[in-house]
Short mmCIF file of all heavy atoms in Angstrom, two decimals:
data_model
loop_
_atom_site.label_atom_id
_atom_site.label_comp_id
_atom_site.label_asym_id
_atom_site.label_seq_id
_atom_site.Cartn_x
_atom_site.Cartn_y
_atom_site.Cartn_z
N HIS A 108 -16.39 53.46 -51.75
CA HIS A 108 -17.46 52.59 -51.31
C HIS A 108 -18.75 53.41 -51.37
O HIS A 108 -18.85 54.47 -50.74
CB HIS A 108 -17.20 52.12 -49.88
CG HIS A 108 -18.24 51.19 -49.34
ND1 HIS A 108 -18.51 51.11 -48.00
CD2 HIS A 108 -19.09 50.32 -49.94
CE1 HIS A 108 -19.45 50.22 -47.79
NE2 HIS A 108 -19.83 49.73 -48.96
N ILE A 109 -19.72 52.95 -52.13
CA ILE A 109 -21.01 53.63 -52.29
C ILE A 109 -22.07 52.71 -51.70
O ILE A 109 -22.12 51.52 -52.00
CB ILE A 109 -21.32 53.88 -53.78
CG1 ILE A 109 -20.25 54.80 -54.37
CG2 ILE A 109 -22.71 54.48 -53.94
CD1 ILE A 109 -20.39 55.01 -55.86
N PHE A 110 -22.92 53.29 -50.83
CA PHE A 110 -23.94 52.47 -50.18
C PHE A 110 -25.10 53.32 -49.69
O PHE A 110 -24.98 54.53 -49.54
CB PHE A 110 -23.34 51.67 -49.03
CG PHE A 110 -22.70 52.53 -47.96
CD1 PHE A 110 -23.41 52.86 -46.81
CD2 PHE A 110 -21.42 53.01 -48.11
CE1 PHE A 110 -22.83 53.66 -45.83
CE2 PHE A 110 -20.83 53.81 -47.13
CZ PHE A 110 -21.53 54.13 -45.99
N ASP A 111 -26.21 52.65 -49.43
CA ASP A 111 -27.41 53.25 -48.86
C ASP A 111 -27.30 53.11 -47.34
O ASP A 111 -27.18 52.00 -46.83
CB ASP A 111 -28.63 52.53 -49.42
CG ASP A 111 -29.93 52.90 -48.74
OD1 ASP A 111 -29.98 53.94 -48.07
OD2 ASP A 111 -30.90 52.15 -48.87
N ASP A 112 -27.37 54.22 -46.63
CA ASP A 112 -27.19 54.21 -45.17
C ASP A 112 -28.19 53.36 -44.41
O ASP A 112 -27.83 52.71 -43.44
CB ASP A 112 -27.30 55.64 -44.62
CG ASP A 112 -26.11 56.50 -44.96
OD1 ASP A 112 -25.03 55.96 -45.20
OD2 ASP A 112 -26.27 57.73 -44.99
N GLU A 113 -29.46 53.38 -44.83
CA GLU A 113 -30.48 52.75 -44.01
C GLU A 113 -30.90 51.36 -44.47
O GLU A 113 -30.96 50.44 -43.67
CB GLU A 113 -31.72 53.65 -43.94
CG GLU A 113 -31.46 54.90 -43.12
CD GLU A 113 -32.71 55.72 -42.91
OE1 GLU A 113 -33.82 55.18 -43.15
OE2 GLU A 113 -32.60 56.87 -42.53
N ASP A 114 -31.22 51.20 -45.72
CA ASP A 114 -31.84 49.96 -46.18
C ASP A 114 -30.91 49.05 -46.96
O ASP A 114 -31.32 47.97 -47.39
CB ASP A 114 -33.07 50.28 -47.04
CG ASP A 114 -34.11 51.07 -46.27
OD1 ASP A 114 -34.27 50.78 -45.06
OD2 ASP A 114 -34.72 51.98 -46.84
N ASN A 115 -29.68 49.48 -47.20
CA ASN A 115 -28.70 48.70 -47.95
C ASN A 115 -29.25 48.26 -49.31
O ASN A 115 -29.03 47.13 -49.76
CB ASN A 115 -28.20 47.50 -47.14
CG ASN A 115 -26.85 47.04 -47.61
OD1 ASN A 115 -26.08 47.81 -48.18
ND2 ASN A 115 -26.54 45.78 -47.39
N ILE A 116 -29.99 49.16 -49.97
CA ILE A 116 -30.54 48.88 -51.30
C ILE A 116 -29.43 48.84 -52.34
O ILE A 116 -29.47 48.05 -53.26
CB ILE A 116 -31.61 49.93 -51.67
CG1 ILE A 116 -32.85 49.72 -50.78
CG2 ILE A 116 -31.99 49.86 -53.13
CD1 ILE A 116 -33.87 50.80 -50.90
N ILE A 117 -28.43 49.69 -52.17
CA ILE A 117 -27.32 49.72 -53.12
C ILE A 117 -26.00 49.62 -52.34
O ILE A 117 -25.86 50.19 -51.26
CB ILE A 117 -27.35 50.98 -54.01
CG1 ILE A 117 -26.27 50.89 -55.08
CG2 ILE A 117 -27.23 52.25 -53.19
CD1 ILE A 117 -26.42 51.91 -56.17
N HIS A 118 -25.10 48.87 -52.93
CA HIS A 118 -23.80 48.67 -52.30
C HIS A 118 -22.80 48.32 -53.39
O HIS A 118 -23.05 47.44 -54.20
CB HIS A 118 -23.90 47.53 -51.29
CG HIS A 118 -22.59 47.01 -50.82
ND1 HIS A 118 -21.85 47.63 -49.85
CD2 HIS A 118 -21.88 45.94 -51.20
CE1 HIS A 118 -20.74 46.95 -49.65
NE2 HIS A 118 -20.74 45.92 -50.46
N LEU A 119 -21.68 49.04 -53.46
CA LEU A 119 -20.63 48.70 -54.41
C LEU A 119 -19.31 49.35 -54.02
O LEU A 119 -19.29 50.33 -53.27
CB LEU A 119 -21.01 49.09 -55.83
CG LEU A 119 -21.13 50.58 -56.17
CD1 LEU A 119 -19.90 51.08 -56.90
CD2 LEU A 119 -22.35 50.81 -57.03
N PHE A 120 -18.25 48.80 -54.53
CA PHE A 120 -16.93 49.39 -54.46
C PHE A 120 -16.50 49.72 -55.88
O PHE A 120 -16.90 49.04 -56.82
CB PHE A 120 -15.91 48.41 -53.86
CG PHE A 120 -16.10 48.17 -52.39
CD1 PHE A 120 -16.88 47.13 -51.94
CD2 PHE A 120 -15.49 49.00 -51.46
CE1 PHE A 120 -17.06 46.90 -50.59
CE2 PHE A 120 -15.65 48.78 -50.10
CZ PHE A 120 -16.45 47.72 -49.66
N CYS A 121 -15.67 50.75 -56.03
CA CYS A 121 -15.14 51.05 -57.36
C CYS A 121 -13.79 51.75 -57.22
O CYS A 121 -13.43 52.27 -56.17
CB CYS A 121 -16.11 51.90 -58.18
SG CYS A 121 -16.48 53.52 -57.52
N ARG A 122 -13.05 51.73 -58.33
CA ARG A 122 -11.72 52.32 -58.37
C ARG A 122 -11.78 53.83 -58.57
O ARG A 122 -10.95 54.57 -58.07
CB ARG A 122 -10.90 51.68 -59.47
CG ARG A 122 -9.51 52.32 -59.62
CD ARG A 122 -8.66 51.59 -60.60
NE ARG A 122 -8.31 50.30 -59.98
CZ ARG A 122 -7.80 49.28 -60.63
NH1 ARG A 122 -7.59 49.36 -61.91
NH2 ARG A 122 -7.51 48.17 -60.01
N GLU A 123 -12.79 54.29 -59.32
CA GLU A 123 -12.84 55.70 -59.69
C GLU A 123 -14.29 56.15 -59.82
O GLU A 123 -15.14 55.37 -60.24
CB GLU A 123 -12.14 55.85 -61.04
CG GLU A 123 -12.04 57.23 -61.59
CD GLU A 123 -11.32 57.22 -62.94
OE1 GLU A 123 -10.13 56.84 -62.98
OE2 GLU A 123 -11.96 57.58 -63.94
N ILE A 124 -14.55 57.40 -59.45
CA ILE A 124 -15.87 58.01 -59.66
C ILE A 124 -15.66 59.30 -60.44
O ILE A 124 -14.75 60.09 -60.14
CB ILE A 124 -16.58 58.33 -58.33
CG1 ILE A 124 -16.88 57.06 -57.54
CG2 ILE A 124 -17.89 59.11 -58.59
CD1 ILE A 124 -17.49 57.31 -56.19
N GLU A 125 -16.53 59.51 -61.42
CA GLU A 125 -16.52 60.75 -62.19
C GLU A 125 -17.95 61.29 -62.25
O GLU A 125 -18.89 60.53 -62.47
CB GLU A 125 -16.02 60.49 -63.61
CG GLU A 125 -15.99 61.73 -64.47
CD GLU A 125 -15.47 61.49 -65.87
OE1 GLU A 125 -14.99 60.36 -66.15
OE2 GLU A 125 -15.53 62.41 -66.69
N ILE A 126 -18.10 62.58 -62.04
CA ILE A 126 -19.41 63.21 -62.19
C ILE A 126 -19.57 63.59 -63.65
O ILE A 126 -18.81 64.40 -64.18
CB ILE A 126 -19.55 64.44 -61.26
CG1 ILE A 126 -19.49 63.97 -59.81
CG2 ILE A 126 -20.84 65.19 -61.57
CD1 ILE A 126 -19.55 65.04 -58.78
N LEU A 127 -20.54 62.95 -64.31
CA LEU A 127 -20.79 63.21 -65.73
C LEU A 127 -21.72 64.40 -65.92
O LEU A 127 -21.54 65.18 -66.86
CB LEU A 127 -21.39 61.98 -66.40
CG LEU A 127 -20.54 60.72 -66.40
CD1 LEU A 127 -21.28 59.58 -67.08
CD2 LEU A 127 -19.20 60.97 -67.06
#
Side-chain angles (χ1 to χ4, degrees):
H108 181 207
I109 298 174
F110 59 97
D111 171 18
D112 288 335
E113 291 187 15
D114 300 322
N115 203 25
I116 290 171
I117 186 167
H118 166 80
L119 67 101
F120 289 92
C121 63
R122 177 173 290 166
E123 182 180 297
I124 297 176
E125 179 179 353
I126 295 177
L127 298 179

